[in-house]
């Protein structure tokens, strides 16, 4: 974990794969430690962009989980959600959708529909729906998830990504008027962008500015767009 946090991913990969090999030698029967080790290895591999290898380790972990746990296991739900992400990262969007749905069913069974973890998995499915251009489905899922996350996180900036992604769905559906409030919430957080990978403030200003241009509110749009480009 320390190596990952300090971006020493090559070392982390070697260590985590060695650890899994040791766990497999120690536990000849299916064991939760092996499942956890495989999942940890998958996360490191994915961080290095090796999503196909991450997928393989996660499928192995999931097979162990099905032996170890009942169908409503949280560990099984988390592993299925991770697998969906690795498959989606390889642009197998429809296959990922089925896995996201399976993960959501497991979360609902295990922790309930109003749990924050369930809502996060719902946002994963919502984003997948957006990638499939199923905007009505994405809209519905984001609305359900936001209601739960707003209650759980009470306005914490953790909700930023969901607000941005939902806003994009609304914009693509021609609903800039509703997106306006969500984008202003992101801007109000005054987050520090760290481009190119993390730039929520810039994204919110750009999207809101473009919406304002579309509705002829040019004076309001100008300062937003000047700081966003």
């Amino acid at each position: 974990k320390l190596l990952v946090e300090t971006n020493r991913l090559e070392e982390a990969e070697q260590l985590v794969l060695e650890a899994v090999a040791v766990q497999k030698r120690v536990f000849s029967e299916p064991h939760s430690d092996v499942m956890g080790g495989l999942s940890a290895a998958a996360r490191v591999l994915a961080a290095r962009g090796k999503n196909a290898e991450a997928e393989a380790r996660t499928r192995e972990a999931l097979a162990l989980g099905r032996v170890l746990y009942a169908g409503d296991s949280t560990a099984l739900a988390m592993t299925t959600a991770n697998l969906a992400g690795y498959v989606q990262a390889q642009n197998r969007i429809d296959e990922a959708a089925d896995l996201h749905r399976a993960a959501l069913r497991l979360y609902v069974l295990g922790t309930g529909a109003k749990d924050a973890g369930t809502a996060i998995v719902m946002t994963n499915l919502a984003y997948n729906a957006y990638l499939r251009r199923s905007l009505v489905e994405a809209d519905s899922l984001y609305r359900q998830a936001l209601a739960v996350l707003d209650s759980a996180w009470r306005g914490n900036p953790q909700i930023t990504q969901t607000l941005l992604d939902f806003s994009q769905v609304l914009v693509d559906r021609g609903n800039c008027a509703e997106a306006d409030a969500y984008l202003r919430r992101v801007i109000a957080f005054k987050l520090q962008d760290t481009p190119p990978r993390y730039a929520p403030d810039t994204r919110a200003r750009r999207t809101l500015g473009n919406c304002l241009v579309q509705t002829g509110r040019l004076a309001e749009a100008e300062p937003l767009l000047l700081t966003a480009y």
Side-chain angles (χ1 to χ4, degrees):
K1 182 178 178 182
L2 178 61
L3 291 173
V4 171
E5 291 174 350
T6 55
N7 206 35
R8 295 159 63 187
L9 296 177
E10 186 173 354
E11 294 175 72
E13 179 183 339
Q14 181 179 349
L15 286 174
V16 76
L17 292 177
E18 288 174 356
V20 170
V22 171
Q23 289 170 327
K24 286 182 175 181
R25 288 197 297 270
V26 171
F27 302 109
S28 57
E29 299 295 325
H31 196 280
S32 59
D33 282 359
V34 179
M35 182 183 179
L38 287 164
S39 295
R43 288 191 294 273
V44 174
L45 289 163
R48 297 201 67 200
K50 299 181 177 182
N51 288 297
E53 292 181 48
E55 177 191 347
R57 297 304 193 287
T58 306
R59 288 191 183 280
E60 189 177 350
L62 192 57
L64 284 175
R66 288 173 177 146
V67 174
L68 293 166
Y69 302 110
D72 62 351
S73 160
T74 300
L76 203 58
M78 290 176 62
T79 307
T80 304
N82 290 340
L83 178 59
Y86 303 142
V87 169
Q88 186 164 296
Q90 298 173 75
N91 294 316
R92 287 150 50 201
I93 307 302
D94 291 332
E95 183 181 351
D98 291 336
L99 290 166
H100 284 303
R101 292 189 188 102
L104 183 58
R105 286 194 296 271
L106 288 167
Y107 267 97
V108 170
L109 283 171
T111 59
K114 301 299 183 182
D115 179 75
T118 302
I120 291 170
V121 173
M122 192 175 291
T123 66
N124 294 340
L125 178 56
Y127 183 66
N128 176 275
Y130 173 76
L131 294 176
R132 289 184 280 111
R133 304 308 294 166
S134 182
L135 298 182
V136 173
E137 179 188 359
D139 186 307
S140 175
L141 289 165
Y142 275 127
R143 289 182 192 278
Q144 294 175 66
L146 267 174
V148 176
L149 295 176
D150 261 336
S151 175
W153 291 341
R154 301 184 183 280
N156 190 292
Q158 284 176 281
I159 205 167
T160 294
Q161 192 63 50
T162 302
L163 292 172
L164 286 170
D165 291 342
F166 181 37
S167 295
Q168 190 62 58
V169 171
L170 292 171
V171 169
D172 286 7
R173 296 193 72 197
N175 193 356
C176 273
E178 186 177 0
D180 185 297
Y182 296 115
L183 293 166
R184 291 185 190 277
R185 282 180 62 183
V186 174
I187 294 168
F189 287 141
K190 298 181 179 178
L191 299 170
Q192 183 66 46
D193 286 351
T194 54
R197 296 190 63 183
Y198 185 73
D201 187 73
T202 297
R203 180 180 167 190
R205 289 174 183 276
R206 181 182 300 145
T207 305
L208 180 56
N210 289 335
C211 274
L212 292 171
V213 168
Q214 290 178 29
T215 56
R217 295 156 67 184
L218 302 182
E220 292 179 69
E222 183 178 6
L224 291 166
L225 293 174
L226 285 174
T227 55
Y229 285 93

